[in-house]
Amino acid sequence: MSLIVQKFGGSSVANAERVYNVADIVTKTYSQGNDIVVVVSAQGDTTDDLIAKAKEINQYASKREMDMLLTSGEQISASLLAMAIEKLGFPVVSLLGWQAGFYTSSAYGSARIKRVVPDRIKKELDKRNIVIVTGFQGINRYNDMTTLGRGGSDTSAVAIAAVMNADLCQIFTDVEGVYTADPRKVKNAKKLDYISYDEMLELATLGAQVLNNRSVEMAKKYGIQLEVISSMTRKPGTIVKEATKVEKMLISGIAKDDDVARISIIGVPDRPGLAFKIFSKLSAKNINVDIILQSVGRNGTKDISFTVSQANLKETIDILNPYVELIGATSVVYDENVAKVSIVGAGMETHPGTAAQMFEALFEANINIQMIATSEIKISVLLDRSDADKAVTAVHNKFFSEALEA
């Protein structure tokens, strides 16, 4: 007997037909003698619809009340799936995040899991129940409901798999696995049989929407084997595992991120410590900064440009505007019409010239690069948003005929 954690995304439970499809997958796994814990997301576009409803009432609703609202989406999915499984004649129980033992920080909207105490889950499994848990949520020290941020159901599933030493954690979605690019946008994208934790973590962080980056980070930390698999076709998916067991292709994937804005602080005095002061203020507000570019000092000043998520743009500008005058900088300007395109691959460590190939592909497509960031296994470029899809296709065509043959 194995313990298997299965997570189903919003598209997998979007309507009654798909809920019954998920119920069939779960009960067949259960009938093979396995213990099953199922984690579900809200149906379809429910979370977006709830956010829209909130804005109709209060554009500036508190994050606490937003969490109270948004956690209802997963509750609907969990109870409907339990009803479908009941109808098929199987023992089942649905649990909210707090009932399943998820204790989180108090950062409403982006809470972190502090610990998972799965006593209730274990009791229900001992009764041979199928256990359904609402993803994306937990409870904080004030006994308030909290959410883990977008994609948090992946993190919920991996956390359960980690604390219960599950044999496998399957992430069911509407694509057949991890692809070299978004198969809905790039026609010749190829499905990968395997990908390393590090490569998957980079892709998830850089905008690939197959897995949440926090879930991959947790899976790597605790050695949880992940399988990204389709709930529609039921074909074998992509296994995410340690890099030492994965053949290193030059490039494993290309990711595009539209949720990005560029901010530039113009005329920063060229003195030690000012960059620290600027970014420490943003860090104190939990604002994550990505690509950073600092110009060469001239006339006693320099310009500092960096990117943040669209959601953090207004708050970042509000923090910086009064501070800029204090440090003697000229102004703060921003651009929302940008996107980030990235290539990721463990093989880049041993293959020189990868960046040149990427830049050549963009040049041939007549696409201008605004900013560049690199690490051992990734190269990211900031582009005009209108060029992003064209850039992904151009770069994909440049690399993958050779990479997949390597």
Side-chain angles (χ1 to χ4, degrees):
M1 178 185 294
S2 297
L3 171 60
I4 298 176
V5 177
Q6 296 180 328
K7 179 264 175 179
F8 294 90
S11 59
S12 296
V13 292
N15 53 45
E17 180 183 358
R18 291 189 177 183
V19 169
Y20 277 114
N21 177 60
V22 168
D24 184 60
I25 293 172
V26 171
T27 54
K28 282 182 177 176
T29 307
Y30 176 88
S31 296
Q32 293 168 358
N34 300 300
D35 284 337
I36 302 294
V37 180
V38 180
V39 175
V40 290
S41 298
Q43 290 185 291
D45 296 324
T46 297
T47 300
D48 290 334
D49 293 341
L50 289 172
I51 291 171
K53 288 180 183 295
K55 288 182 177 179
E56 290 176 4
I57 303 299
N58 181 354
Q59 285 272 1
Y60 306 104
S62 69
K63 290 183 178 180
R64 180 195 182 277
E65 295 307 324
M66 287 300 297
D67 276 5
M68 285 291 290
L69 176 67
L70 297 182
T71 50
S72 65
E74 280 69 26
Q75 183 172 349
I76 292 169
S77 295
S79 56
L80 290 176
L81 179 57
M83 293 174 192
I85 291 172
E86 279 182 339
K87 189 173 181 180
L88 294 176
F90 290 83
V92 62
V93 62
S94 64
L95 303 175
L96 297 178
W98 69 266
Q99 292 174 304
F102 277 83
Y103 294 90
T104 75
S105 67
S106 297
Y108 300 106
S110 57
R112 293 275 176 170
I113 298 170
K114 297 181 75 173
R115 66 186 185 281
V116 180
V117 184
D119 295 349
R120 177 72 183 275
I121 295 176
K122 291 177 180 178
K123 288 178 181 178
E124 299 296 343
L125 291 176
D126 288 342
K127 298 175 187 176
R128 284 295 290 151
N129 282 328
I130 296 168
V131 181
I132 303 172
V133 176
T134 54
F136 173 67
Q137 61 185 248
I139 193 170
N140 66 18
R141 60 178 177 163
Y142 306 111
N143 290 328
D144 287 341
M145 300 283 280
T146 57
T147 64
L148 306 179
R150 282 303 181 94
S153 293
D154 291 350
T155 308
S156 300
V158 174
I160 291 172
V163 77
M164 298 192 66
N165 297 312
D167 297 283
L168 177 64
C169 182
Q170 295 178 306
I171 307 294
F172 286 85
T173 181
D174 56 354
V175 294
E176 293 183 359
V178 180
Y179 282 73
T180 53
D182 186 340
R184 292 162 290 200
K185 300 287 181 65
V186 180
K187 291 182 179 180
N188 60 340
K190 306 294 184 182
K191 184 174 77 73
L192 302 173
D193 293 329
Y194 302 97
I195 189 169
S196 72
Y197 289 125
D198 288 338
E199 290 171 317
M200 190 67 247
L201 180 57
E202 288 283 11
L203 284 172
T205 302
L206 295 168
Q209 298 179 356
V210 179
L211 278 175
N212 174 271
N213 59 340
R214 285 161 62 184
S215 71
V216 181
E217 191 174 23
M218 188 179 295
K220 175 180 170 65
K221 180 178 179 179
Y222 294 102
I224 304 300
Q225 180 168 292
L226 296 178
E227 181 180 17
V228 181
I229 186 170
S230 171
S231 60
M232 312 301 177
T233 64
R234 308 196 191 186
K235 295 179 180 178
T238 300
I239 299 296
V240 185
K241 61 181 185 178
E242 279 295 347
T244 53
K245 301 177 182 178
V246 180
E247 182 181 354
K248 291 186 179 180
M249 296 192 304
L250 174 58
I251 300 298
S252 293
I254 301 173
K256 181 190 76 169
D257 186 3
D258 289 327
D259 182 23
V260 61
R262 188 189 74 229
I263 297 174
S264 297
I265 307 175
I266 308 300
V268 179
D270 196 4
R271 298 197 307 266
L274 290 187
F276 162 71
K277 291 179 180 178
I278 290 168
F279 292 114
S280 63
K281 281 192 170 292
L282 301 181
S283 176
K285 295 294 185 179
N286 294 315
I287 295 174
N288 187 47
V289 173
D290 188 15
I291 302 176
I292 301 174
L293 177 65
Q294 179 175 293
S295 68
V296 177
R298 64 188 187 282
N299 299 323
T301 68
K302 57 194 174 187
D303 300 336
I304 299 176
S305 298
F306 57 93
T307 60
V308 297
S309 69
Q310 292 272 352
N312 286 329
L313 175 60
K314 183 181 183 301
E315 186 178 4
T316 303
I317 296 298
D318 289 344
I319 291 169
L320 292 177
N321 269 331
Y323 189 62
V324 162
E325 187 175 346
L326 291 176
I327 65 173
T330 305
S331 62
V332 177
V333 297
Y334 64 91
D335 185 357
E336 298 178 80
N337 296 311
V338 294
K340 181 171 60 177
V341 172
S342 308
I343 58 174
V344 173
M348 289 197 297
E349 294 179 78
T350 55
H351 287 76
T354 308
Q357 286 181 268
M358 181 182 190
F359 301 155
E360 182 183 27
L362 296 174
F363 164 71
E364 290 170 348
N366 196 31
I367 295 172
N368 187 49
I369 299 172
Q370 298 182 16
M371 298 173 71
I372 302 168
T374 65
S375 73
E376 290 181 339
I377 65 169
K378 78 160 186 189
I379 301 169
S380 296
V381 295
L382 196 71
L383 314 162
D384 189 279
R385 185 173 298 177
S386 62
D387 288 330
D389 287 337
K390 183 170 68 170
V392 170
T393 299
V395 173
H396 190 275
N397 290 341
K398 189 72 172 178
F399 280 102
F400 277 98
S401 59
E402 295 180 5
L404 291 171
E405 292 170 2

